Amino acid sequence: GENVEQHPSTLSVQEGDSAVIKCTYSDSASNYFPWYKQELGKRPQLIIDIRSNVGEKKDQRIAVTLNKTAKHFSLHITETQPEDSAVYFCAASRANTGNQFYFGTGTSLTVIP
Amino acid sequence: GAVVSQHPSRVICKSGTSVKIECRSLDFQATTMFWYRQFPKQSLMLMATSNEGSKATYEQGVEKDKFLINHASLTLSTLTVTSAHPEDSSFYICSAPPSGGLTRGANVLTFGAGSRLTVL
């Protein structure tokens, strides 16, 4: 099956700085890559996603990049705010073939005011 | 948007008893649902894929007889932890993609709120 690795496991940044989280995947057939934000004790919430036919996608302060050849994708958060503090998970999936999602190990982001 | 309801949110049980967790898609049909387990400060580990009308598909290392999954209808999947032990204590989360698979721009995987199981 798919193996998704995520780095770093913890990340602290000053408010206003940028944060970058990186993931790699093993299954070249994976073609959909969502990012989820999970606050303590709550369900994961989708924040951004990218499909394999796109190299980059941006939504306000959040962007995701994908390198299919290298099988890695990254989450970029600019102008971080304290409310961005949470655990972030990347995931990889083969769309339309069962839709199993395999998650990375998570990154605990702390934004220091 | 798509809503997945999961119940109960918290359950405490004695060792040796069985616990059932329900996952319902409220405004859409889910032929497939996923069950994840999450340990504190760790990632979501896919346990099994629940398929309406057929047997669940379990991930490697997950005991089928321990974690019984039943997908009784297009809107309901249940996970039963049988003969629970303290090591089964965890946060269990279900999720469902909308019927028909991924669609452009859709929030494609909707999570339940999770169930925190504590086995004494």
Side-chain angles (χ1 to χ4, degrees), chain A residues 6 21 23 40 61 68 75 81 87 95-96 101 106 108:
Chain A
Q6 183 172 345
I21 303 170
C23 287
L40 189 64
R61 297 187 296 108
K68 276 185 64 178
L75 177 70
Q81 301 166 4
V87 178
N96 299 324
F101 284 67
S108 178

Side-chain angles (χ1 to χ4, degrees), chain A residues 3 11-12 15 18 44 87 92 98 110 113:
Chain A
N3 181 41
L11 179 61
S12 293
E15 182 177 359
S18 295
V87 178
T110 302

Side-chain angles (χ1 to χ4, degrees), chain A residues 58-72:
Chain A
K58 189 173 181 180
D59 182 3
Q60 299 183 352
R61 297 187 296 108
I62 296 173
V64 57
T65 59
L66 170 66
N67 184 326
K68 276 185 64 178
T69 303
K71 294 206 280 287
H72 67 70

Side-chain angles (χ1 to χ4, degrees), chain A residues 31-32 34 36 38 41-46 49 51 53 89 93-96 98-106, chain B residues 4 32 34 36 38 42-44 46 49 59 91 93 97 100-109 111-113 116:
Chain A
N31 55 11
Y32 175 69
Y36 287 85
Q38 186 180 28
K42 296 186 177 180
R43 75 187 81 191
Q45 298 280 356
L46 179 71
D49 56 11
R51 297 169 191 266
N53 59 348
F89 293 99
S93 172
R94 290 194 211 176
N96 299 324
N99 286 323
Q100 282 95 343
F101 284 67
Y102 294 90
F103 286 82
T105 47
Chain B
V4 172
T32 301
F34 304 113
Y36 291 88
Q38 187 176 33
Q42 293 191 27
S43 187
L44 296 150
L46 179 63
T49 301
E59 295 297 303
F91 193 54
I93 308 180
L102 297 179
T103 57
R104 189 175 183 83
N107 187 352
V108 294
L109 192 63
F111 284 90
R116 183 160 301 283

Side-chain angles (χ1 to χ4, degrees), chain B residues 42-59:
Chain B
Q42 293 191 27
S43 187
L44 296 150
M45 183 190 77
L46 179 63
M47 297 175 64
T49 301
S50 171
N51 303 299
E52 189 270 336
S54 63
K55 292 182 179 180
T57 305
Y58 289 82
E59 295 297 303

